[in-house]
Amino acid sequence: MATDRERGYRWKKLSEAVVRREKGKYDGKVFCHLCRREIDLSLKSGPWRLEIDHIIPRSQSPALEMILENLATSCRTCNRLRGDRSVDECVGTPQLHEQFVILSQSNADSWEARKRAEAIAPKAPKTKLWSETAVSTSPVVKRYVRDVDYGRFSPITGTERPETLPFRPHINPAWAPWGDETPYDEWTGQRRPGIEWPPGSGDYGL
């Protein structure tokens, strides 16, 4: 298992690779994949500074946390505002995108106003950001059921599976062994059957 230091180094390199990829696409510019604002890479703090976002949230697919294709550039405000929701839930339609951009700007304005107030009166009570006070709209967690969604034994490992498994959109439970796995085996480089890649393609490598 990788140490925190090794994971931090790998994350730094992945982040740099994401920025290089985006610069190559947009003539040296980097945009937030949610609100589509241009990101000023010189900013080291504030609501519009660069952050790296997971397209499929880590809470849904921990195995894709360190996969380059699952990473995108985002401004801090949008990344925080999105939370664990899917991209489609936030900006999947023109109407949702317009609403999300408005909320993003409102949240950034609140953040900047709070910082100005702290500079004037450091001991004044702090107000919470919109995203910190918003009511959670997280959907109910779905689960796969043994002998309904998948067989008792894994067709790959041969081990007996638990009675339920957490729902993961990128996993075909009839074929994939239980547990979160990346699309490709890190040792052999071979495609693992039962894991959808690219996400949303319907290709489970079978």
Side-chain angles (χ1 to χ4, degrees), residues 78-180:
C78 290
N79 195 11
R80 296 294 187 269
L81 187 59
R82 176 193 171 192
D84 286 341
R85 292 182 294 166
S86 70
V87 173
D88 284 342
E89 286 181 83
C90 297
V91 294
T93 67
Q95 292 79 14
L96 283 174
H97 182 267
E98 181 179 1
Q99 181 185 40
F100 187 86
V101 170
I102 293 172
L103 292 174
S104 175
Q105 183 65 56
S106 175
N107 210 28
D109 291 343
S110 298
W111 188 94
E112 290 177 333
R114 187 175 74 181
K115 287 300 179 183
R116 286 195 297 270
E118 287 176 356
I120 298 171
K123 295 184 179 180
K126 296 181 179 179
T127 57
K128 289 188 176 182
L129 300 181
W130 181 89
S131 60
E132 296 171 339
T133 58
V135 177
S136 174
T137 57
S138 299
V140 176
V141 177
K142 295 188 290 184
R143 298 187 72 83
Y144 293 125
V145 179
R146 190 175 69 190
D147 298 323
V148 175
D149 298 302
Y150 58 91
R152 179 172 293 272
F153 299 95
S154 167
I156 299 176
T157 65
T159 55
E160 186 173 6
R161 292 163 152 183
E163 293 183 359
T164 62
L165 291 172
F167 177 77
R168 301 185 298 279
H170 65 290
I171 293 288
N172 178 345
W175 280 94
W178 55 273
D180 284 305

Side-chain angles (χ1 to χ4, degrees), residues 23-49:
K23 283 184 175 181
K25 284 183 184 178
Y26 304 111
D27 297 324
K29 297 180 179 180
V30 175
F31 295 88
C32 173
H33 79 114
L34 294 167
C35 69
R36 303 309 304 166
R37 289 186 181 91
E38 183 178 353
I39 298 174
D40 184 349
L41 299 180
S42 67
L43 295 176
K44 301 303 179 184
S45 62
W48 302 123
R49 73 176 177 86

